Amino acid sequence: NPPIGIYLADIFNIKGILYQILINFEQLFWFLTKTSLIIMLVIWIRASYPRLRTDKTLELCWYILIPSAVFNLFIITAVKYFRGIL
């Protein structure tokens, strides 16, 4: 669909088989335009962010994420255990 919701065939009051042809071409045009804009936006965002270095990612995992996950596991286990007792 066009961004404003009005087709050119409606604006120029075209009827018949020409109406269908114009609508089909306009729908294809808007589909390809919107798709290409979204693809360009995704590529632009991906290219703007720096790449993560492997050693920094592993350091984050080993020193921060795994200990916090184990701590979270202990907390959830304690909550479940003591909720059953009380």
Side-chain angles (χ1 to χ4, degrees):
N1 291 334
I4 57 174
I6 301 172
Y7 290 103
L8 288 176
D10 294 332
I11 293 173
F12 294 117
N13 200 15
I14 298 172
K15 301 292 182 204
I17 190 76
L18 187 59
Y19 177 81
Q20 289 298 324
I21 293 171
L22 187 60
I23 291 291
N24 288 338
F25 278 119
E26 192 171 357
Q27 286 176 346
L28 181 65
F29 169 75
W30 285 117
F31 173 73
L32 293 175
T33 303
K34 290 176 183 181
T35 304
S36 62
L37 286 174
I38 290 173
I39 289 172
M40 287 179 3
L41 180 69
V42 168
I43 290 172
W44 182 27
I45 290 172
R46 182 176 162 90
S48 296
Y49 286 111
R51 295 178 186 238
L52 295 174
R53 288 181 18 195
T54 306
D55 61 333
K56 295 292 183 182
T57 307
L58 286 172
E59 183 178 315
L60 172 72
C61 182
W62 282 108
Y63 294 122
I64 295 174
L65 295 179
I66 291 177
S68 63
V70 171
F71 179 71
N72 186 22
L73 184 65
F74 284 135
I75 295 296
I76 296 300
T77 304
V79 167
K80 292 269 189 186
Y81 178 74
F82 288 119
R83 184 177 290 172
I85 292 176
L86 299 175

